[in-house]
Amino acid sequence: MPSVSLMQSAPGPETVIDGVPYLYFAGTSYLGLAAHPEVIEAGCEAMRRYGVHSATTRARFGTNPPLLDVERLAAQFFGTDDAFYFGSGYAANHIMVAALAQNAEAVLLDDAAHYCVAEAARLAGAPIHTFRHRDPEDLARLAKGKRHFLVMADAVGPSSGAPAPVMEYLNVLQGHEGARLLLDDAHGVGVLGEDGRGLLDELRLWPSVNTGNSGLHVCGTLAKALGGFGGIIPGTWEFVRHVRGASHYFDGASAPASAVAGATAKALEIVLREPELRARLRENTLRLRAGLRALGLTPPDGATANFGVVIGDSANMRRIHETLKSRQIMLPYVGSYSGIPPEGILRFAVFANHTQEQIDRLLDELRAIL
Ligand SMILES: Cc1ncc(COP(=O)(O)O)c(C=O)c1O
């Protein structure tokens, strides 16, 4: 077992790690729902009623009410007919590849895509060609002369927060019969767009996502902004039916645990009921970005809840991380992860329930040590 830190509280603006309470700007609990009392109570109630889990696959008797609640509320959130809910966001691309790429001539993969995207690409059983991270021209070069290929990428970088140039990718796809774009929007869902449906909502592409013939596809997780747990694929009735049948996650795997599904359904209910959470998150991330710019730093544009900033070399970023840690502020230095530069990155995560004072404290401490 590698040495890891021990999180001894729920993740939130104040999080206890290895016995120390930190002002916490890490992780992915962007809408701040991981420790919401209603979410916790709903999880406990679901476990009391339905046991740990249904102990068989969804195809037999294994679909219990909290699972249907999640799918109904997720479909409501995404504005789609239906949604398929399963055990992990990591598996979402695997499931989508099974649904989309069985006859693909090739997979064109962003060379900095998240591990789960890159691993899923292999399941297509087609040649994989990588294009330079977020580079539509390189994608166009690879696409030349090809039809029926699948392009795979993160919608939002997990550490960098950088959005994929979706419009440019779609331009490349035009004229290539049967070409499809699949984006993993793990970090955009719940955060971006008028209805919080993610990067494709922000780009006003949403109604044409995950339909039978649009060629534009997205998968996501409920375990980050949305405050629950598990993977999600929303879409039309026809598309979701096809996805459920394309792999065996529906009929060959235990469904998400009852407590998890009950908590996730409640978190979705809260997100639907309280759009102000998203507005507060946006305010917070813009406040932090503006404060960093005032310090002469260069956070990326946009309103993602996670973003990376490079400040000098790795030694300097380690120093910043360690100094902040000694002052009980947790701002991770990420030395290696998919999609980050060789020197690493300081990864900022902002939550809807960070107070302005907490954000200003981070900025004040940074000002003192840069
Ligand atoms: C881009 C991306 N996709 C998928 C996942 C995995 O999602 P989950 O944690 O819900 O399994 C992550 C997790 O960090 C991620 O960053």
Side-chain angles (χ1 to χ4, degrees):
M1 174 82 181
S3 85
V4 290
S5 296
L6 202 56
M7 183 184 277
Q8 293 166 308
S9 69
E14 282 163 8
T15 299
V16 180
I17 298 169
D18 295 330
V20 180
Y22 288 96
L23 180 50
Y24 185 70
F25 290 93
T28 61
S29 184
Y30 305 132
L31 289 173
L33 293 170
H36 193 291
E38 283 182 60
V39 172
I40 292 170
E41 182 47 38
C44 294
E45 179 56 21
M47 179 129 97
R48 276 192 290 268
R49 275 180 172 230
Y50 303 106
V52 173
H53 67 113
S54 58
T56 184
T57 74
R58 298 280 309 272
R60 303 283 167 203
F61 318 107
T63 294
N64 61 20
L67 295 165
L68 293 184
D69 288 345
V70 172
E71 292 182 333
R72 176 179 52 80
L73 290 159
Q76 201 178 322
F77 173 77
F78 286 106
T80 52
D81 297 334
D82 199 1
F84 177 32
Y85 175 46
F86 44 89
S88 105
Y90 197 94
N93 288 276
H94 293 61
I95 294 170
M96 285 299 254
V97 165
L100 296 175
Q102 286 321 300
N103 299 313
E105 201 180 283
V107 175
L108 309 186
L109 173 70
D110 184 316
D111 68 6
H114 189 264
Y115 309 119
C116 66
V117 178
E119 284 173 10
R122 295 190 209 129
L123 297 179
I128 298 172
H129 306 277
T130 53
F131 60 94
R132 276 194 302 274
H133 184 43
R134 300 174 67 237
D135 185 343
E137 281 178 22
D138 204 33
L139 174 63
R141 180 184 63 78
L142 291 178
K144 220 172 205 164
K146 292 190 180 66
R147 304 181 313 157
H148 300 287
F149 56 82
L150 179 66
V151 178
M152 295 180 70
D154 298 344
V156 170
S159 295
S160 67
V166 178
M167 294 309 199
E168 290 85 344
Y169 289 172
L170 291 177
N171 279 340
V172 171
L173 262 60
Q174 273 183 9
H176 295 272
E177 189 194 333
R180 293 172 184 271
L181 172 61
L182 169 58
L183 295 166
D184 177 343
D185 204 6
H187 297 270
V189 163
V191 177
L192 300 176
E194 190 162 346
D195 295 303
R197 293 169 185 162
L199 181 64
L200 300 179
D201 183 14
E202 183 162 284
L203 297 173
R204 302 191 184 284
L205 290 166
W206 189 260
S208 57
V209 174
N210 288 353
T211 65
N213 48 20
S214 70
L216 177 58
H217 299 284
V218 73
C219 56
T221 177
L222 301 171
K224 302 192 190 299
L226 293 177
F229 193 87
I232 197 77
I233 297 171
T236 59
W237 294 118
E238 187 195 18
F239 183 76
V240 174
R241 190 178 322 119
H242 170 64
V243 168
R244 281 201 181 99
S247 69
H248 292 280
Y249 279 83
F250 187 79
D251 65 1
S254 296
S258 309
V260 158
T264 301
K266 181 55 74 176
L268 281 165
E269 218 179 282
I270 293 170
V271 170
L272 284 161
R273 184 183 80 198
E274 298 178 21
E276 59 272 21
L277 283 176
R278 205 161 53 249
R280 215 172 304 140
L281 173 59
R282 187 181 165 83
E283 223 173 84
N284 281 349
T285 192
L286 295 182
R287 183 183 186 88
L288 179 56
R289 281 169 153 92
L292 293 171
R293 284 193 192 103
L295 297 180
L297 301 175
T298 50
D301 291 338
T304 54
N306 63 309
F307 58 88
V309 180
V310 175
I311 309 178
D313 60 10
S314 60
N316 188 49
M317 288 188 277
R318 273 181 216 284
R319 176 189 66 82
I320 292 169
H321 160 74
E322 288 298 339
T323 310
L324 289 174
K325 190 174 168 196
S326 71
R327 298 176 190 180
Q328 288 178 245
I329 297 179
M330 189 54 76
L331 179 71
Y333 164 70
V334 184
S336 73
Y337 201 74
S338 65
I340 61 166
E343 64 273 34
I345 213 165
L346 286 165
R347 180 187 187 272
F348 293 76
V350 192
F351 304 155
N353 52 346
H354 277 124
T355 63
Q356 292 190 351
E357 291 71 30
Q358 288 171 327
I359 291 169
D360 292 348
R361 162 113 200 274
L362 170 62
L363 291 166
D364 289 343
E365 295 284 356
L366 272 171
R367 184 177 303 110
I369 64 174
L370 282 178

